[in-house]
Amino acid sequence: MAVEKKTPLDTRALIINTALKLFSEKGIFNTSVQDIKRTANISIGSIYHHFPGKDAIVRALYEELLAKMQDLIEGIDQQYASAHDRCREVVRQIFIMTEYDPDAVRFVLQGRHLEFLPNEQPICSSRPFELMKDMVRDGITAGEIQGGDATLLAACLFGGPLRMVSLRLDGILDRPLPEQLDDVWTCAWRAVSA
Amino acid sequence: MAVEKKTPLDTRALIINTALKLFSEKGIFNTSVQDIKRTANISIGSIYHHFPGKDAIVRALYEELLAKMQDLIEGIDQQYASAHDRCREVVRQIFIMTEYDPDAVRFVLQGRHLEFLPNEQPICSSRPFELMKDMVRDGITAGEIQGGDATLLAACLFGGPLRMVSLRLDGILDRPLPEQLDDVWTCAWRAVSA
DNA sequence: GTCTATATCATGATAGAC
DNA sequence: GTCTATCATGATATAGAC
């Protein structure tokens, strides 16, 4: 039986993952570095060796999740051609992610980090959200989506689905989101289709 | 010139209003009781005379704003007959309130209090949101809104407008929301109308 | 790189005069 | 009811051994 040896990367990831779990459960402010220490079974010193402070943990987590989300959306952009198919796939992926990694979705979409990290841009100014707006813009140009302001139309298209995500994360909805994708998407697309 | 005398009610209201302003600016956790004391120009003792603690201030604020919102929606229920008109008026009122009292809307809709007050129900389980769902339910029964799950349809109907509110509060949208009511509502209603 | 022990500080809350 | 002065707690962060 091989002896497992912890690499620095393991510890860093352990800290990040533990933090995400605790942040999601109790909130960022209610989670102390001591909590992370206890839950992860490591020492304070080790945490402060990997991160300058709690701020840095929150920031690293946010950037990591945002990058993951960006990759996902860029992949969709290449794989699908029409605005309809692209946007639908975005919603589908978010619905799936909400089920198997609710902590990550809560952290990114609920934008809890904003209260903790001052002078940070709101999530809707981030690259992934810009890409989603671009999808809508392309759809308008292509005549798939009705003419009008892209920001407004993006809000109307994704507003319903994102609201469903919030409700699901808050435990209001019993059924898994992917099961309800067709119904939600039908409504969402009707709102903006040309 | 009459001498103004501060009544207890004044002080209580002063505390609540100051708290709301600070909570909105810096977040609940980043606002200390000392901050409220300084901004309101009163003493710590006075604050703790009116409220048992910071928790109580947050709770009182939340309940007050929620009650105000409930009154508003119940008024709409009586004044309008069809689901279409009722729901549209709800959106219109929220849009207006977002402009003239953004702090209140941010506090209630963003649900910041949840992270501070543990074991508190999420905002979407609150009475006003239930009333909005009832409006949708009635609309389904009346044949104005397509058949289906009321929760899902309510999310699809109000999701877009609420997203617009978030964007406006985050400073993403330059134009006042009421100016965009017609466009937003057209999209929202198309999503769910029978 | 990881640990323990500790310094420093801000916060929520209280006591008691007026 | 309002005030000032103070306490007690728990947080972030650091120092230094191993």
Short mmCIF file of all heavy atoms in Angstrom, two decimals, chain A residues 26-30 112 115 122 124-125 129 146 151-153 155-156 159-160 162-164 167 170 172-173 180 183-184 187 190-193, chain B residues 26-30 112 115 122 124-125 129 146 151-153 155-156 159-160 162-164 167 170 172-173 180 183-184 187 190-193:
data_model
loop_
_atom_site.label_atom_id
_atom_site.label_comp_id
_atom_site.label_asym_id
_atom_site.label_seq_id
_atom_site.Cartn_x
_atom_site.Cartn_y
_atom_site.Cartn_z
N LYS A 26 -22.05 28.65 5.56
CA LYS A 26 -22.23 29.65 6.62
C LYS A 26 -22.02 31.09 6.17
O LYS A 26 -22.23 32.01 6.95
CB LYS A 26 -21.23 29.38 7.76
CG LYS A 26 -21.03 27.89 8.07
CD LYS A 26 -20.38 27.68 9.42
CE LYS A 26 -19.01 28.34 9.53
NZ LYS A 26 -18.48 28.34 10.89
N GLY A 27 -21.56 31.24 4.95
CA GLY A 27 -21.25 32.59 4.50
C GLY A 27 -19.78 32.91 4.73
O GLY A 27 -19.13 32.31 5.57
N ILE A 28 -19.28 33.85 3.99
CA ILE A 28 -17.86 34.19 4.07
C ILE A 28 -17.52 34.80 5.42
O ILE A 28 -16.55 34.43 6.06
CB ILE A 28 -17.46 35.16 2.94
CG1 ILE A 28 -17.68 34.51 1.58
CG2 ILE A 28 -16.01 35.58 3.08
CD1 ILE A 28 -17.37 35.41 0.40
N PHE A 29 -18.34 35.72 5.87
CA PHE A 29 -18.03 36.43 7.11
C PHE A 29 -18.12 35.51 8.32
O PHE A 29 -17.39 35.67 9.28
CB PHE A 29 -18.97 37.62 7.29
CG PHE A 29 -18.67 38.76 6.40
CD1 PHE A 29 -19.30 38.88 5.17
CD2 PHE A 29 -17.73 39.71 6.76
CE1 PHE A 29 -19.01 39.94 4.33
CE2 PHE A 29 -17.44 40.78 5.93
CZ PHE A 29 -18.08 40.89 4.71
N ASN A 30 -19.04 34.58 8.24
CA ASN A 30 -19.22 33.67 9.37
C ASN A 30 -18.20 32.53 9.37
O ASN A 30 -18.24 31.68 10.24
CB ASN A 30 -20.64 33.08 9.34
CG ASN A 30 -21.69 34.14 9.59
OD1 ASN A 30 -21.51 35.01 10.43
ND2 ASN A 30 -22.78 34.08 8.85
N ARG A 112 -21.65 36.62 -3.38
CA ARG A 112 -21.38 36.90 -1.98
C ARG A 112 -20.02 37.56 -1.77
O ARG A 112 -19.82 38.30 -0.79
CB ARG A 112 -21.42 35.60 -1.16
CG ARG A 112 -22.80 35.00 -1.05
CD ARG A 112 -23.63 35.72 0.01
NE ARG A 112 -25.03 35.34 -0.05
CZ ARG A 112 -25.53 34.25 0.50
NH1 ARG A 112 -24.74 33.44 1.17
NH2 ARG A 112 -26.80 33.96 0.40
N GLU A 115 -19.44 41.55 -1.09
CA GLU A 115 -19.54 42.22 0.20
C GLU A 115 -18.22 42.10 0.96
O GLU A 115 -17.88 42.95 1.78
CB GLU A 115 -20.68 41.59 1.02
CG GLU A 115 -21.07 42.42 2.21
CD GLU A 115 -22.41 41.97 2.80
OE1 GLU A 115 -23.14 41.26 2.12
OE2 GLU A 115 -22.67 42.34 3.96
N PRO A 122 -18.91 43.88 -10.05
CA PRO A 122 -20.02 42.94 -9.92
C PRO A 122 -19.91 41.84 -10.95
O PRO A 122 -19.34 42.02 -12.02
CB PRO A 122 -21.25 43.81 -10.18
CG PRO A 122 -20.75 45.03 -10.86
CD PRO A 122 -19.34 45.23 -10.38
N CYS A 124 -21.84 40.56 -12.98
CA CYS A 124 -22.42 40.72 -14.31
C CYS A 124 -21.52 41.51 -15.24
O CYS A 124 -21.79 41.59 -16.44
CB CYS A 124 -23.81 41.36 -14.21
SG CYS A 124 -23.94 42.58 -12.91
N SER A 125 -20.45 42.09 -14.69
CA SER A 125 -19.48 42.76 -15.56
C SER A 125 -18.36 41.80 -15.95
O SER A 125 -17.46 42.17 -16.70
CB SER A 125 -18.84 43.95 -14.83
OG SER A 125 -19.80 44.85 -14.38
N PHE A 129 -20.25 36.66 -18.29
CA PHE A 129 -21.52 37.33 -18.53
C PHE A 129 -21.47 38.18 -19.79
O PHE A 129 -22.46 38.33 -20.49
CB PHE A 129 -21.92 38.17 -17.31
CG PHE A 129 -22.69 37.39 -16.29
CD1 PHE A 129 -22.04 36.44 -15.51
CD2 PHE A 129 -24.06 37.55 -16.14
CE1 PHE A 129 -22.75 35.69 -14.58
CE2 PHE A 129 -24.77 36.81 -15.22
CZ PHE A 129 -24.12 35.88 -14.44
N GLN A 146 -35.36 39.19 -31.42
CA GLN A 146 -35.97 40.47 -31.79
C GLN A 146 -35.01 41.63 -31.59
O GLN A 146 -34.09 41.55 -30.76
CB GLN A 146 -37.23 40.69 -30.94
CG GLN A 146 -36.93 40.73 -29.46
CD GLN A 146 -38.19 40.93 -28.62
OE1 GLN A 146 -38.63 42.05 -28.41
NE2 GLN A 146 -38.77 39.83 -28.18
N THR A 151 -28.44 44.27 -23.71
CA THR A 151 -28.40 44.05 -22.26
C THR A 151 -29.79 43.70 -21.74
O THR A 151 -29.95 42.75 -20.95
CB THR A 151 -27.90 45.32 -21.55
OG1 THR A 151 -26.64 45.70 -22.11
CG2 THR A 151 -27.73 45.06 -20.07
N LEU A 152 -30.78 44.46 -22.19
CA LEU A 152 -32.15 44.20 -21.76
C LEU A 152 -32.61 42.82 -22.20
O LEU A 152 -33.19 42.05 -21.42
CB LEU A 152 -33.07 45.28 -22.34
CG LEU A 152 -34.52 45.31 -21.88
CD1 LEU A 152 -35.06 46.74 -21.93
CD2 LEU A 152 -35.41 44.40 -22.73
N LEU A 153 -32.33 42.47 -23.44
CA LEU A 153 -32.78 41.19 -23.96
C LEU A 153 -32.06 40.03 -23.27
O LEU A 153 -32.66 38.99 -23.01
CB LEU A 153 -32.58 41.14 -25.48
CG LEU A 153 -33.57 42.05 -26.24
CD1 LEU A 153 -33.10 42.29 -27.67
CD2 LEU A 153 -34.97 41.43 -26.24
N ALA A 155 -30.99 40.07 -20.22
CA ALA A 155 -31.61 39.98 -18.89
C ALA A 155 -32.92 39.22 -18.97
O ALA A 155 -33.23 38.38 -18.12
CB ALA A 155 -31.83 41.38 -18.32
N CYS A 156 -33.71 39.51 -20.01
CA CYS A 156 -35.01 38.85 -20.15
C CYS A 156 -34.85 37.38 -20.52
O CYS A 156 -35.63 36.53 -20.08
CB CYS A 156 -35.84 39.56 -21.21
SG CYS A 156 -36.40 41.20 -20.68
N GLY A 159 -32.88 35.78 -17.30
CA GLY A 159 -33.45 36.11 -15.99
C GLY A 159 -34.27 34.98 -15.39
O GLY A 159 -34.10 34.64 -14.22
N GLY A 160 -35.14 34.41 -16.19
CA GLY A 160 -35.98 33.32 -15.70
C GLY A 160 -35.15 32.11 -15.26
O GLY A 160 -35.26 31.66 -14.11
N LEU A 162 -32.01 31.92 -14.45
CA LEU A 162 -31.18 32.22 -13.28
C LEU A 162 -32.01 32.28 -12.01
O LEU A 162 -31.56 31.92 -10.93
CB LEU A 162 -30.43 33.55 -13.49
CG LEU A 162 -29.31 33.49 -14.53
CD1 LEU A 162 -28.70 34.88 -14.75
CD2 LEU A 162 -28.21 32.51 -14.08
N ARG A 163 -33.24 32.75 -12.15
CA ARG A 163 -34.14 32.77 -10.99
C ARG A 163 -34.43 31.34 -10.53
O ARG A 163 -34.49 31.06 -9.34
CB ARG A 163 -35.42 33.49 -11.38
CG ARG A 163 -36.42 33.66 -10.31
CD ARG A 163 -36.71 35.12 -9.96
NE ARG A 163 -37.16 35.18 -8.58
CZ ARG A 163 -36.40 35.46 -7.56
NH1 ARG A 163 -35.14 35.80 -7.75
NH2 ARG A 163 -36.85 35.43 -6.33
N MET A 164 -34.60 30.45 -11.49
CA MET A 164 -34.82 29.04 -11.16
C MET A 164 -33.62 28.50 -10.39
O MET A 164 -33.77 27.72 -9.44
CB MET A 164 -35.04 28.22 -12.43
CG MET A 164 -36.37 28.46 -13.12
SD MET A 164 -37.80 27.92 -12.15
CE MET A 164 -37.68 26.13 -12.32
N LEU A 167 -33.83 29.70 -6.82
CA LEU A 167 -34.86 28.98 -6.08
C LEU A 167 -34.40 27.58 -5.72
O LEU A 167 -34.63 27.08 -4.62
CB LEU A 167 -36.15 28.91 -6.91
CG LEU A 167 -36.87 30.24 -7.15
CD1 LEU A 167 -38.04 30.06 -8.11
CD2 LEU A 167 -37.38 30.82 -5.84
N ASP A 170 -31.90 27.71 -2.95
CA ASP A 170 -32.54 28.04 -1.67
C ASP A 170 -33.42 26.91 -1.17
O ASP A 170 -34.07 27.05 -0.12
CB ASP A 170 -33.38 29.32 -1.82
CG ASP A 170 -32.52 30.56 -1.85
OD1 ASP A 170 -31.32 30.46 -1.51
OD2 ASP A 170 -33.03 31.64 -2.21
N ILE A 172 -36.14 25.73 -2.53
CA ILE A 172 -37.56 25.93 -2.79
C ILE A 172 -38.08 24.88 -3.79
O ILE A 172 -39.23 24.46 -3.70
CB ILE A 172 -37.82 27.34 -3.38
CG1 ILE A 172 -37.15 28.41 -2.54
CG2 ILE A 172 -39.31 27.59 -3.54
CD1 ILE A 172 -37.76 28.60 -1.20
N LEU A 173 -37.22 24.51 -4.71
CA LEU A 173 -37.63 23.57 -5.74
C LEU A 173 -37.15 22.16 -5.41
O LEU A 173 -35.97 21.96 -5.10
CB LEU A 173 -37.06 23.99 -7.10
CG LEU A 173 -37.41 25.40 -7.57
CD1 LEU A 173 -36.69 25.71 -8.88
CD2 LEU A 173 -38.91 25.55 -7.73
N GLN A 180 -36.38 20.17 -15.69
CA GLN A 180 -37.31 21.24 -16.02
C GLN A 180 -36.78 22.14 -17.13
O GLN A 180 -37.36 23.18 -17.43
CB GLN A 180 -37.58 22.09 -14.76
CG GLN A 180 -37.94 21.23 -13.57
CD GLN A 180 -38.32 22.04 -12.35
OE1 GLN A 180 -39.25 22.83 -12.38
NE2 GLN A 180 -37.58 21.85 -11.27
N ASP A 183 -39.19 23.08 -20.17
CA ASP A 183 -40.24 24.04 -19.84
C ASP A 183 -39.66 25.45 -19.64
O ASP A 183 -40.20 26.43 -20.14
CB ASP A 183 -40.96 23.61 -18.55
CG ASP A 183 -41.82 22.38 -18.78
OD1 ASP A 183 -42.16 22.12 -19.95
OD2 ASP A 183 -42.12 21.68 -17.80
N VAL A 184 -38.58 25.51 -18.88
CA VAL A 184 -37.98 26.82 -18.61
C VAL A 184 -37.46 27.46 -19.89
O VAL A 184 -37.70 28.65 -20.15
CB VAL A 184 -36.82 26.70 -17.59
CG1 VAL A 184 -36.11 28.03 -17.41
CG2 VAL A 184 -37.33 26.18 -16.25
N CYS A 187 -40.15 28.99 -22.20
CA CYS A 187 -40.57 30.32 -21.73
C CYS A 187 -39.50 31.37 -22.04
O CYS A 187 -39.80 32.45 -22.56
CB CYS A 187 -40.82 30.30 -20.23
SG CYS A 187 -42.32 29.43 -19.76
N ARG A 190 -39.23 32.20 -25.79
CA ARG A 190 -40.42 32.93 -26.25
C ARG A 190 -40.32 34.42 -25.92
O ARG A 190 -40.83 35.27 -26.65
CB ARG A 190 -41.67 32.37 -25.56
CG ARG A 190 -42.30 31.21 -26.31
CD ARG A 190 -43.40 30.54 -25.51
NE ARG A 190 -44.26 31.46 -24.79
CZ ARG A 190 -45.59 31.43 -24.83
NH1 ARG A 190 -46.21 30.55 -25.59
NH2 ARG A 190 -46.30 32.27 -24.12
N ALA A 191 -39.66 34.72 -24.80
CA ALA A 191 -39.57 36.11 -24.35
C ALA A 191 -38.82 36.99 -25.35
O ALA A 191 -39.14 38.18 -25.48
CB ALA A 191 -38.90 36.18 -22.98
N VAL A 192 -37.84 36.42 -26.03
CA VAL A 192 -36.96 37.26 -26.85
C VAL A 192 -36.90 36.88 -28.33
O VAL A 192 -36.32 37.62 -29.13
CB VAL A 192 -35.51 37.24 -26.30
CG1 VAL A 192 -35.50 37.72 -24.86
CG2 VAL A 192 -34.90 35.85 -26.43
N SER A 193 -37.45 35.74 -28.71
CA SER A 193 -37.30 35.28 -30.09
C SER A 193 -37.98 36.26 -31.06
O SER A 193 -38.97 36.90 -30.72
CB SER A 193 -37.89 33.89 -30.26
OG SER A 193 -39.30 33.94 -30.11
N LYS B 26 -21.94 49.46 2.56
CA LYS B 26 -20.76 48.66 2.92
C LYS B 26 -21.07 47.21 3.24
O LYS B 26 -20.16 46.43 3.46
CB LYS B 26 -20.08 49.26 4.15
CG LYS B 26 -20.05 50.80 4.17
CD LYS B 26 -19.06 51.33 5.16
CE LYS B 26 -19.32 50.88 6.59
NZ LYS B 26 -18.24 51.23 7.52
N GLY B 27 -22.33 46.88 3.30
CA GLY B 27 -22.70 45.53 3.71
C GLY B 27 -22.94 45.46 5.20
O GLY B 27 -22.48 46.30 5.96
N ILE B 28 -23.69 44.48 5.62
CA ILE B 28 -24.06 44.35 7.02
C ILE B 28 -22.85 44.05 7.89
O ILE B 28 -22.64 44.66 8.93
CB ILE B 28 -25.11 43.24 7.21
CG1 ILE B 28 -26.39 43.60 6.44
CG2 ILE B 28 -25.43 43.05 8.68
CD1 ILE B 28 -27.48 42.54 6.53
N PHE B 29 -22.02 43.12 7.46
CA PHE B 29 -20.88 42.71 8.27
C PHE B 29 -19.85 43.82 8.39
O PHE B 29 -19.20 43.96 9.43
CB PHE B 29 -20.22 41.46 7.68
CG PHE B 29 -21.02 40.22 7.89
CD1 PHE B 29 -21.91 39.79 6.93
CD2 PHE B 29 -20.88 39.49 9.05
CE1 PHE B 29 -22.65 38.63 7.12
CE2 PHE B 29 -21.61 38.33 9.26
CZ PHE B 29 -22.50 37.91 8.29
N ASN B 30 -19.72 44.59 7.34
CA ASN B 30 -18.73 45.67 7.36
C ASN B 30 -19.24 46.90 8.09
O ASN B 30 -18.52 47.90 8.18
CB ASN B 30 -18.33 46.04 5.92
CG ASN B 30 -17.61 44.91 5.24
OD1 ASN B 30 -16.78 44.23 5.84
ND2 ASN B 30 -17.93 44.68 3.97
N ARG B 112 -29.39 40.15 1.59
CA ARG B 112 -28.13 40.19 2.33
C ARG B 112 -28.29 39.75 3.78
O ARG B 112 -27.37 39.27 4.42
CB ARG B 112 -27.57 41.63 2.30
CG ARG B 112 -27.10 42.08 0.95
CD ARG B 112 -25.72 41.52 0.64
NE ARG B 112 -25.34 41.73 -0.74
CZ ARG B 112 -24.84 42.86 -1.22
NH1 ARG B 112 -24.65 43.88 -0.43
NH2 ARG B 112 -24.52 42.96 -2.49
N GLU B 115 -27.31 36.04 5.25
CA GLU B 115 -26.00 35.61 5.70
C GLU B 115 -25.77 36.03 7.15
O GLU B 115 -25.04 35.39 7.89
CB GLU B 115 -24.91 36.21 4.80
CG GLU B 115 -23.57 35.57 4.97
CD GLU B 115 -22.61 35.94 3.85
OE1 GLU B 115 -23.06 36.42 2.79
OE2 GLU B 115 -21.39 35.76 4.04
N PRO B 122 -35.55 32.12 3.32
CA PRO B 122 -35.15 32.91 2.15
C PRO B 122 -36.29 33.83 1.72
O PRO B 122 -37.46 33.51 1.94
CB PRO B 122 -34.85 31.87 1.09
CG PRO B 122 -35.50 30.61 1.56
CD PRO B 122 -35.52 30.69 3.05
N CYS B 124 -37.68 34.44 -0.96
CA CYS B 124 -38.69 33.95 -1.90
C CYS B 124 -39.76 33.12 -1.21
O CYS B 124 -40.78 32.78 -1.81
CB CYS B 124 -38.03 33.16 -3.03
SG CYS B 124 -36.62 32.21 -2.52
N SER B 125 -39.55 32.80 0.07
CA SER B 125 -40.60 32.11 0.83
C SER B 125 -41.48 33.12 1.57
O SER B 125 -42.43 32.73 2.25
CB SER B 125 -39.98 31.17 1.87
OG SER B 125 -39.12 30.27 1.26
N PHE B 129 -43.69 37.42 -1.91
CA PHE B 129 -43.38 36.55 -3.04
C PHE B 129 -44.45 35.49 -3.23
O PHE B 129 -44.75 35.08 -4.36
CB PHE B 129 -42.00 35.92 -2.87
CG PHE B 129 -40.89 36.79 -3.40
CD1 PHE B 129 -40.51 37.94 -2.73
CD2 PHE B 129 -40.26 36.47 -4.59
CE1 PHE B 129 -39.51 38.75 -3.23
CE2 PHE B 129 -39.25 37.27 -5.09
CZ PHE B 129 -38.89 38.42 -4.41
N GLN B 146 -50.32 30.45 -19.65
CA GLN B 146 -50.28 29.06 -20.11
C GLN B 146 -50.28 28.10 -18.92
O GLN B 146 -49.83 28.44 -17.83
CB GLN B 146 -49.02 28.83 -20.95
CG GLN B 146 -47.74 29.15 -20.21
CD GLN B 146 -46.49 28.90 -21.06
OE1 GLN B 146 -45.98 27.79 -21.15
NE2 GLN B 146 -46.00 29.97 -21.68
N THR B 151 -44.87 27.90 -9.80
CA THR B 151 -43.57 28.39 -9.35
C THR B 151 -42.65 28.65 -10.54
O THR B 151 -41.99 29.70 -10.61
CB THR B 151 -42.91 27.35 -8.42
OG1 THR B 151 -43.80 27.03 -7.37
CG2 THR B 151 -41.62 27.90 -7.85
N LEU B 152 -42.63 27.69 -11.45
CA LEU B 152 -41.79 27.84 -12.63
C LEU B 152 -42.22 29.05 -13.46
O LEU B 152 -41.40 29.86 -13.88
CB LEU B 152 -41.86 26.56 -13.47
CG LEU B 152 -40.94 26.43 -14.68
CD1 LEU B 152 -40.60 24.96 -14.92
CD2 LEU B 152 -41.56 27.02 -15.94
N LEU B 153 -43.51 29.18 -13.66
CA LEU B 153 -44.00 30.28 -14.50
C LEU B 153 -43.77 31.62 -13.83
O LEU B 153 -43.45 32.61 -14.49
CB LEU B 153 -45.49 30.06 -14.80
CG LEU B 153 -45.74 28.91 -15.79
CD1 LEU B 153 -47.20 28.46 -15.75
CD2 LEU B 153 -45.33 29.31 -17.20
N ALA B 155 -41.31 32.30 -11.84
CA ALA B 155 -39.88 32.56 -12.01
C ALA B 155 -39.59 33.11 -13.41
O ALA B 155 -38.80 34.06 -13.57
CB ALA B 155 -39.07 31.29 -11.78
N CYS B 156 -40.24 32.53 -14.40
CA CYS B 156 -40.02 32.97 -15.78
C CYS B 156 -40.61 34.36 -16.03
O CYS B 156 -40.06 35.15 -16.78
CB CYS B 156 -40.61 31.97 -16.77
SG CYS B 156 -39.69 30.41 -16.82
N GLY B 159 -38.50 36.79 -13.48
CA GLY B 159 -37.04 36.63 -13.52
C GLY B 159 -36.36 37.74 -14.30
O GLY B 159 -35.38 38.32 -13.83
N GLY B 160 -36.88 38.03 -15.49
CA GLY B 160 -36.28 39.08 -16.32
C GLY B 160 -36.32 40.43 -15.63
O GLY B 160 -35.29 41.07 -15.44
N LEU B 162 -36.68 41.20 -12.49
CA LEU B 162 -35.85 41.23 -11.29
C LEU B 162 -34.37 41.30 -11.64
O LEU B 162 -33.57 41.92 -10.93
CB LEU B 162 -36.12 40.00 -10.41
CG LEU B 162 -37.48 40.01 -9.71
CD1 LEU B 162 -37.70 38.70 -8.96
CD2 LEU B 162 -37.57 41.20 -8.75
N ARG B 163 -34.01 40.66 -12.74
CA ARG B 163 -32.62 40.74 -13.21
C ARG B 163 -32.28 42.18 -13.59
O ARG B 163 -31.19 42.67 -13.33
CB ARG B 163 -32.44 39.80 -14.39
CG ARG B 163 -31.07 39.71 -14.95
CD ARG B 163 -30.43 38.33 -14.80
NE ARG B 163 -28.98 38.48 -14.78
CZ ARG B 163 -28.27 38.49 -13.69
NH1 ARG B 163 -28.83 38.26 -12.53
NH2 ARG B 163 -26.97 38.69 -13.73
N MET B 164 -33.24 42.85 -14.22
CA MET B 164 -33.03 44.25 -14.58
C MET B 164 -32.80 45.10 -13.33
O MET B 164 -31.97 46.01 -13.32
CB MET B 164 -34.24 44.78 -15.36
CG MET B 164 -34.38 44.24 -16.77
SD MET B 164 -33.05 44.77 -17.88
CE MET B 164 -33.50 46.48 -18.17
N LEU B 167 -29.25 44.56 -12.15
CA LEU B 167 -28.30 45.26 -13.01
C LEU B 167 -28.31 46.76 -12.73
O LEU B 167 -27.27 47.42 -12.70
CB LEU B 167 -28.62 45.01 -14.49
CG LEU B 167 -28.42 43.57 -14.98
CD1 LEU B 167 -28.94 43.41 -16.41
CD2 LEU B 167 -26.96 43.18 -14.93
N ASP B 170 -26.58 47.49 -9.50
CA ASP B 170 -25.13 47.32 -9.62
C ASP B 170 -24.49 48.41 -10.49
O ASP B 170 -23.29 48.38 -10.72
CB ASP B 170 -24.80 45.95 -10.22
CG ASP B 170 -24.98 44.84 -9.20
OD1 ASP B 170 -25.10 45.16 -8.00
OD2 ASP B 170 -24.97 43.65 -9.58
N ILE B 172 -24.97 48.92 -13.67
CA ILE B 172 -24.70 48.48 -15.04
C ILE B 172 -25.58 49.24 -16.03
O ILE B 172 -25.19 49.49 -17.16
CB ILE B 172 -24.97 46.98 -15.20
CG1 ILE B 172 -24.27 46.17 -14.12
CG2 ILE B 172 -24.58 46.49 -16.58
CD1 ILE B 172 -22.80 46.16 -14.22
N LEU B 173 -26.79 49.55 -15.62
CA LEU B 173 -27.74 50.22 -16.51
C LEU B 173 -27.78 51.72 -16.22
O LEU B 173 -27.93 52.12 -15.07
CB LEU B 173 -29.14 49.63 -16.32
CG LEU B 173 -29.27 48.12 -16.53
CD1 LEU B 173 -30.68 47.66 -16.19
CD2 LEU B 173 -28.90 47.73 -17.95
N GLN B 180 -37.87 51.82 -19.16
CA GLN B 180 -37.72 50.58 -19.91
C GLN B 180 -38.81 49.58 -19.60
O GLN B 180 -38.76 48.43 -20.04
CB GLN B 180 -36.34 49.95 -19.62
CG GLN B 180 -35.21 50.97 -19.74
CD GLN B 180 -33.84 50.36 -19.52
OE1 GLN B 180 -33.45 49.44 -20.23
NE2 GLN B 180 -33.11 50.87 -18.54
N ASP B 183 -40.68 47.76 -22.65
CA ASP B 183 -39.87 46.74 -23.34
C ASP B 183 -39.70 45.49 -22.48
O ASP B 183 -39.87 44.36 -22.95
CB ASP B 183 -38.49 47.31 -23.69
CG ASP B 183 -38.58 48.37 -24.78
OD1 ASP B 183 -39.58 48.36 -25.53
OD2 ASP B 183 -37.66 49.20 -24.88
N VAL B 184 -39.38 45.72 -21.20
CA VAL B 184 -39.15 44.58 -20.31
C VAL B 184 -40.43 43.78 -20.13
O VAL B 184 -40.43 42.55 -20.21
CB VAL B 184 -38.62 45.04 -18.94
CG1 VAL B 184 -38.53 43.87 -17.97
CG2 VAL B 184 -37.27 45.71 -19.09
N CYS B 187 -41.45 41.50 -23.07
CA CYS B 187 -40.69 40.24 -23.06
C CYS B 187 -41.20 39.30 -21.98
O CYS B 187 -41.43 38.11 -22.22
CB CYS B 187 -39.21 40.51 -22.82
SG CYS B 187 -38.35 41.24 -24.22
N ARG B 190 -44.69 37.80 -22.76
CA ARG B 190 -44.59 36.84 -23.88
C ARG B 190 -44.12 35.48 -23.40
O ARG B 190 -44.51 34.44 -23.93
CB ARG B 190 -43.60 37.36 -24.92
CG ARG B 190 -44.22 38.27 -25.97
CD ARG B 190 -43.18 38.91 -26.88
NE ARG B 190 -42.09 38.04 -27.25
CZ ARG B 190 -41.67 37.85 -28.51
NH1 ARG B 190 -42.30 38.47 -29.51
NH2 ARG B 190 -40.66 37.09 -28.78
N ALA B 191 -43.27 35.49 -22.37
CA ALA B 191 -42.70 34.23 -21.88
C ALA B 191 -43.76 33.29 -21.34
O ALA B 191 -43.62 32.06 -21.46
CB ALA B 191 -41.66 34.53 -20.80
N VAL B 192 -44.80 33.85 -20.74
CA VAL B 192 -45.76 32.99 -20.03
C VAL B 192 -47.20 33.09 -20.52
O VAL B 192 -48.05 32.28 -20.11
CB VAL B 192 -45.76 33.30 -18.52
CG1 VAL B 192 -44.37 33.12 -17.94
CG2 VAL B 192 -46.30 34.70 -18.26
N SER B 193 -47.52 34.04 -21.37
CA SER B 193 -48.92 34.24 -21.76
C SER B 193 -49.45 33.02 -22.51
O SER B 193 -48.71 32.33 -23.20
CB SER B 193 -49.05 35.49 -22.63
OG SER B 193 -48.42 35.28 -23.86
#
